[in-house]
């Protein structure tokens, strides 16, 4: 990617043996919501959607905007570009916990964090993310670099006065400990929340947002539904993490912001709430966490 034209950046998701056709558009939501976390630079399926096509489909079903998250320097630059050029996009920028050890091994972690610092000053970059800890994909060797990067990112969110999107995989205790020790940014979001009710109660005490992805619909994810049940309504967010984590009944197929209504309807049923009522709350929560799109 050239530094002067981040719009040209694109990644391709492995197809494997999956059904890579895009699911049909769901029935539109009457009250618009936002997709709080997605990766629209990653193309999926045989008929990959452009950013404009993604946003058009989203709007058609009542998804008013998206927060596009970065994970390395290039994808963070793309995220900032997308947000600067599309009124329905806000950006999150960061070095992902699985990327931090790679930058560190190359002696470039400091430089990478500086690049994120620079992007975070842009007006439509409204979160540092995704940052955090991932003990699932990164082994013991990479953990010191993950901690160093996470703490540097926490400092950036505070410095710029913007939200933080946390990626926490198999690292609940260490993430919570770090936040308690160094102090969490004012608006801290657990993207694709993966804990259970106990962790959700700690998050509730500390005022963190929990963002639920399509996996809340998975049969084996009772822990997520238990967590949802104990989270205050004003701290619940919804996201896709597209192109990953496609909700049931489309699991494995390409995910996209236009599928958010599937997850919102599922969450409303779980919570025993009217879909419109939950949608209004989710939209208000997004704006409280990241500020206005307009
Ligand atoms: Zn993540
Ligand atoms: Zn993500």
């Amino acid at each position: 990617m050239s530094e002067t034209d981040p719009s040209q950046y694109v990644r391709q998701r492995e197809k494997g043996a999956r059904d890579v056709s895009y699911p049909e558009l769901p029935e539109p939501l009457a009250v618009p919501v936002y997709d709080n976390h997605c990766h629209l630079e990653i193309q999926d399926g045989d008929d990959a959607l452009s950013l404009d096509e993604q946003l058009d489909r989203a709007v058609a079903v009542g998804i008013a905007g998206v927060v596009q998250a970065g994970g390395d320097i290039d994808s963070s630059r793309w995220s900032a570009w997308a947000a600067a050029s599309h009124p329905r996009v806000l950006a999150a920028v960061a070095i992902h916990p699985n990327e931090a050890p790679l930058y560190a091994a190359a002696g470039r972690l400091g430089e990478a964090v500086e690049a994120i610092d620079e992007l975070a000053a842009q007006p439509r970059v409204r979160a540092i993310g995704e940052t955090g800890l991932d003990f699932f994909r990164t082994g013991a060797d990479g953990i010191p670099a993950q901690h160093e990067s996470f703490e540097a990112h926490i400092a950036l969110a505070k410095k710029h006065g913007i939200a933080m999107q946390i990626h926490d995989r198999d690292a609940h205790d260490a993430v919570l400990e770090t936040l308690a020790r160094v102090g969490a940014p004012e608006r801290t979001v657990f993207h694709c929340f993966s804990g259970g009710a106990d962790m959700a109660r700690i998050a509730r005490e500390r005022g963190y947002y929990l963002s639920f992805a399509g996996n809340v619909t998975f049969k084996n994810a009772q822990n997520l539904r238990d967590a949802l049940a104990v989270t205050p309504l004003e701290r619940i967010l919804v996201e896709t993490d597209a192109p990953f984590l496609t909700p049931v009944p489309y699991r494995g197929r390409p995910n996209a912001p236009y599928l958010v209504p599937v997850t919102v309807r599922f969450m409303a049923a779980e919570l025993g709430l009217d879909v419109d009522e939950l949608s209004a709350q989710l939209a208000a929560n997004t704006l409280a966490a990241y500020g206005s799109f307009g």
Side-chain angles (χ1 to χ4, degrees), residues 37 39 96-97 130 134 137 166-168 191-192 239 241:
H37 180 103
H39 302 277
H96 192 286
E130 49 189 292
D134 185 326
R137 272 201 285 156
I166 293 179
H167 169 101
D168 157 28
H191 116 75
C192 187
E239 65 171 75
D241 206 14

Side-chain angles (χ1 to χ4, degrees), residues 1-289:
M1 185 202 81
S2 95
E3 284 206 22
T4 50
D5 192 2
S7 69
Q8 297 307 304
Y9 179 67
V10 63
R11 284 162 68 199
Q12 194 70 47
R13 183 183 178 192
E14 292 280 334
K15 285 182 192 164
R18 297 178 292 131
D19 174 357
V20 291
S21 65
Y22 272 93
E24 64 201 31
L25 267 67
E27 194 191 316
L29 290 174
V31 176
V33 303
Y34 302 89
D35 181 349
N36 280 265
H37 180 103
C38 59
H39 302 277
L40 299 182
E41 85 285 10
I42 305 178
Q43 300 201 330
D44 196 8
D46 287 333
D47 242 335
L49 298 175
S50 69
L51 177 58
D52 286 321
E53 287 169 328
Q54 288 277 16
L55 296 171
D56 287 350
R57 285 190 182 196
V59 169
V61 298
I63 309 307
V66 306
V67 179
Q68 156 67 31
D72 58 17
I73 296 176
D74 286 348
S75 60
S76 292
R77 283 192 180 131
W78 189 88
S79 300
W81 163 80
S85 19
H86 291 77
R88 296 187 185 278
V89 181
L90 294 178
V93 296
I95 304 304
H96 192 286
N98 289 320
E99 298 293 324
L102 308 179
Y103 282 105
R108 293 183 60 213
L109 184 56
E111 176 194 322
V113 170
E114 271 170 38
I116 298 304
D117 187 9
E118 217 170 283
L119 290 170
Q122 295 189 20
R124 292 182 67 78
V125 174
R126 303 286 179 77
I128 295 294
E130 49 189 292
T131 181
L133 300 171
D134 185 326
F135 299 161
F136 177 80
R137 272 201 285 156
T138 292
D141 298 2
I143 290 177
Q146 286 198 349
H147 276 286
E148 181 187 344
S149 179
F150 185 28
E151 292 189 26
H153 281 79
I154 293 170
L156 286 184
K158 292 177 183 172
K159 171 181 169 184
H160 293 279
I162 56 179
M164 179 169 73
Q165 292 192 339
I166 293 179
H167 169 101
D168 157 28
R169 190 155 181 197
D170 291 358
H172 304 330
D173 292 347
V175 167
L176 290 172
E177 184 279 323
T178 302
L179 293 173
R181 180 166 43 80
V182 306
E186 207 176 303
R187 284 157 291 142
T188 293
V189 177
F190 278 78
H191 116 75
C192 187
F193 181 69
S194 58
D198 288 349
M199 184 172 176
R201 283 190 196 95
I202 296 171
R204 181 172 74 189
E205 276 163 34
R206 299 190 190 173
Y208 303 154
Y209 289 91
L210 303 189
S211 182
F212 291 87
N215 54 345
V216 72
T217 69
F218 294 179
K219 205 171 189 166
N220 63 357
Q222 188 56 45
N223 63 310
L224 301 182
R225 294 184 282 277
D226 293 343
L228 177 64
V230 301
T231 303
L233 287 182
E234 62 277 11
R235 289 290 179 267
I236 298 174
L237 297 169
V238 67
E239 65 171 75
T240 56
D241 206 14
F244 311 105
L245 296 174
T246 319
V248 169
Y250 307 117
R251 203 171 166 177
R253 289 167 70 180
N255 200 2
Y258 75 82
L259 291 169
V260 163
V262 177
T263 306
V264 170
R265 290 195 173 98
F266 181 93
M267 288 166 68
E270 276 298 314
L271 292 166
L273 285 178
D274 178 66
V275 174
D276 293 353
E277 195 186 326
L278 177 62
S279 298
Q281 183 70 59
L282 290 169
N285 296 348
T286 300
L287 301 178

